[in-house]
Structures are given as C-alpha cells and as structure tokens.
Amino acid sequence: CFFHIEYVCSYGVESIIFFFFINSLFIQIMILLSRDFVANLFPEYPQGGSSENSDKIYSLIHYLHNHYAEPISGDWLSEYFDINFDSLNRLFKQETGVPIFHYLKQVRLNHARELLTTTQLKMSEISEQTGFCDQYYFSRVFKQEFGISPKKYSISGTLDSK
C-alpha cells in the first residue's frame, strides 16, 4: 500500500502515522498466524518461549517501528530491554523468523519507499529520516534489496525496473 501525494494532502500526516501503526499491528497478527500455521503443519516444530519473552519481543517490535529513524545498536537494545543482545536476537528470530537488524532494515526500507513516492525529499534527507547512516549506504542497501535504485524507484513508483 502506497500513499499518493493527493492522499497525504487530503488526509494529512496523522493518517500516515495511523497507517504505520495499523501496519505494525498487521505485522504482529501475521507473525501470530504464521507461527500458528507452522505449529499446525509441523507439530514437532519448537514453539515460542514464555509469554514474558513474547511480550518483550512485541515491545521490541513496537520500539523498532517507533524509533527506526534513530541510531539503534545491539548494546542499546540490550540495555533498554535488560537482556543480553544475543539472547534477545535469538528470541526475536524464534518469534518472527528473522534477526532484529534484518527486521529493522525492512522497516526502514518500507518507510523509505513511502517517502520516495510521496515526497520530493533528497536522497540524503530520506536516508537520514529512515535511519540510514548516509545516502550512499542507503542507495546500496535499497538497490540490493529491491533490484532498483531509489532514484529510479522515486521516478517510476514501482519496483519493476523495466
């Protein structure tokens, strides 16, 4: 789902924030459903940890969606969530299927895609607003992930590079 500039003008930034909140909830629901699907398909598959761990992971997901533009390190997450980073990352991967920083990269790239199609911001501004350390790294990661440069994507509005 992409917001078009007319939508932003008509409904405002608040609706975009609401959209990302709903998107975050949707991702959490999809995680729960996929975990249930795998559990039913493969009964021998190890199930997630305690509800305390699940609560910690959901808090982490919420944190990542709200602070993706900020510098986030393993040390910071370890201190903030009061758990060793390797343990936190292992729990996160058990719950979501991906490591923390892979998930964070996806969150950042999705926000970047939104900004590329709904704003006239420069690449340096988009990379800064989405938590990438510089525009060159952002461009490299974007192209690596989607197979198209952010510049071409902003012009075409689609991931189809043709």
Side-chain angles (χ1 to χ4, degrees):
C1 294
F2 293 106
F3 285 102
H4 296 287
I5 197 73
E6 298 86 26
Y7 182 89
V8 174
C9 293
S10 300
Y11 297 102
V13 174
E14 293 81 18
S15 65
I16 293 175
I17 293 169
F18 180 72
F19 167 78
F20 287 120
F21 174 74
I22 295 299
N23 193 27
S24 171
L25 291 176
F26 176 74
I27 290 170
Q28 291 177 28
I29 289 169
M30 294 306 296
I31 289 168
L32 290 172
L33 289 173
S34 65
R35 191 181 320 129
D36 187 55
F37 175 76
V38 168
N40 288 328
L41 195 59
F42 305 104
E44 70 280 359
Y45 184 80
Q47 299 302 307
S50 70
S51 90
E52 179 184 332
N53 287 340
S54 294
D55 290 345
K56 193 169 289 227
I57 297 308
Y58 293 131
S59 295
L60 175 54
I61 289 170
H62 183 73
Y63 180 86
L64 295 175
H65 279 271
N66 287 309
H67 299 276
Y68 66 89
E70 301 169 13
I72 297 175
S73 70
D75 289 339
W76 167 250
L77 293 175
S78 177
E79 184 178 323
Y80 188 82
F81 289 97
D82 194 30
I83 184 173
N84 173 283
F85 178 74
D86 291 333
S87 299
L88 182 63
N89 200 36
R90 183 176 29 78
L91 291 171
F92 190 88
K93 188 171 181 178
Q94 284 175 349
E95 292 284 331
T96 65
V98 294
I100 294 169
F101 287 108
H102 179 82
Y103 184 88
L104 177 61
K105 179 179 78 169
Q106 295 304 315
V107 170
R108 288 174 169 169
L109 287 171
N110 286 335
H111 285 284
R113 284 173 49 190
E114 189 65 38
L115 292 173
L116 286 166
T117 58
T118 61
T119 70
Q120 298 297 316
L121 294 173
K122 297 177 184 175
M123 288 302 147
S124 59
E125 294 169 315
I126 291 174
S127 66
E128 182 181 320
Q129 289 184 23
T130 54
F132 288 94
C133 57
D134 65 59
Q135 72 184 45
Y136 304 106
Y137 176 68
F138 162 65
S139 293
R140 190 172 78 234
V141 169
F142 191 95
K143 185 164 186 172
Q144 206 171 34
E145 185 70 25
F146 300 118
I148 185 173
S149 73
K151 184 77 168 165
K152 286 183 183 177
Y153 178 78
S154 69
I155 294 168
S156 69
T158 179
L159 293 176
D160 183 18
S161 59
K162 294 179 182 176

